[in-house]
Amino acid sequence: MQGNLPPEAQEKLEQLQDLQDTAQQVAVQKNQAETQLNGAQNALDELDDIDEDTTMFREVGELFVKTDYDEAQEDLEDKVDSLEIRVETLEKQENRVREQFEQLQGELQSMLGGGAGAGPSGPTGPGGAGGA
């Protein structure tokens, strides 16, 4: 069917596919950042239950390095802050890609004479599950 499309429609279809790929990549990155954020928040919560005099170690590459309570707490707080910003940035990017996808999809439908009600858009948009 793609071979029968006008060149402008073919181009928009390729742009839609690129946006869908981008949306999937952003969703994966966001999921990874959320997982890391949850881990850092859990570690910070656990730190509250640890006596400040307890010997602690942090992972540096393949090594464990001795650290004190205050340094561990500060490192975790910094990590949580930066991951929260990362997740927020990825959410904004995800929304921008979704908006671009929907706009381009509408343009393609209009170009092909389908209008707004032509065919189910359903969960096939960027992100897979329909979003919201």
Side-chain angles (χ1 to χ4, degrees), residues 28-44:
V28 167
Q29 290 175 12
K30 182 180 150 196
N31 188 323
Q32 290 171 340
E34 287 174 333
T35 300
Q36 291 173 346
L37 176 59
N38 288 336
Q41 286 172 327
N42 287 340
L44 198 53

Side-chain angles (χ1 to χ4, degrees), residues 103-116:
Q103 178 184 355
L104 200 54
Q105 189 175 38
E107 290 173 12
L108 183 61
Q109 287 176 345
S110 295
M111 187 180 290
L112 297 176

